Amino acid sequence: MKKDMTDEEYLQKEFDFSKAVRNPYANRVKRTITINIDNSVYDYFKGQAQESGIPYQTLINMYLRDCVQNHREIDIQWN
């Protein structure tokens, strides 16, 4: 790439995007967040990850997705 060429100019010169198609799964992209969880929860999912070979973040997401799909509601009772 020439020094006086912008990234956009380079892309337009080198690649033909005229027949490009939008990604149909773009709305399903995951969001990166930071959460605080107990050590015991972390340890549990890390152990499950080692046994299953699935990353612990994926396991946590799968568990939460199951809650959403099955419309599970939180039942908190304070004593």
Side-chain angles (χ1 to χ4, degrees):
M1 183 165 86
K2 293 181 183 178
K3 289 185 180 182
D4 61 337
M5 188 182 292
T6 67
D7 289 343
E8 186 176 335
E9 290 169 336
Y10 173 76
L11 288 173
Q12 288 176 350
K13 182 178 182 227
E14 293 293 319
F15 302 99
D16 177 16
F17 292 108
S18 64
K19 295 180 182 158
V21 178
R22 279 195 173 270
N23 181 348
Y25 303 103
N27 64 345
R28 299 178 78 187
V29 174
K30 294 181 181 179
R31 180 178 300 181
T32 301
I33 64 167
T34 301
I35 62 171
N36 296 316
I37 58 174
D38 294 336
N39 285 330
S40 60
V41 173
Y42 174 80
D43 293 340
Y44 173 80
F45 280 101
K46 284 293 276 189
Q48 293 295 309
Q50 288 177 340
E51 290 179 22
S52 67
I54 300 171
Y56 77 95
Q57 298 98 328
T58 302
L59 291 175
I60 293 170
N61 187 62
M62 289 169 61
Y63 185 83
L64 294 173
R65 187 181 328 116
D66 178 70
C67 291
V68 171
Q69 289 172 342
N70 291 295
H71 304 284
R72 299 189 196 284
E73 298 208 7
I74 299 171
D75 182 18
I76 299 175
Q77 298 180 12
W78 301 97
N79 294 328

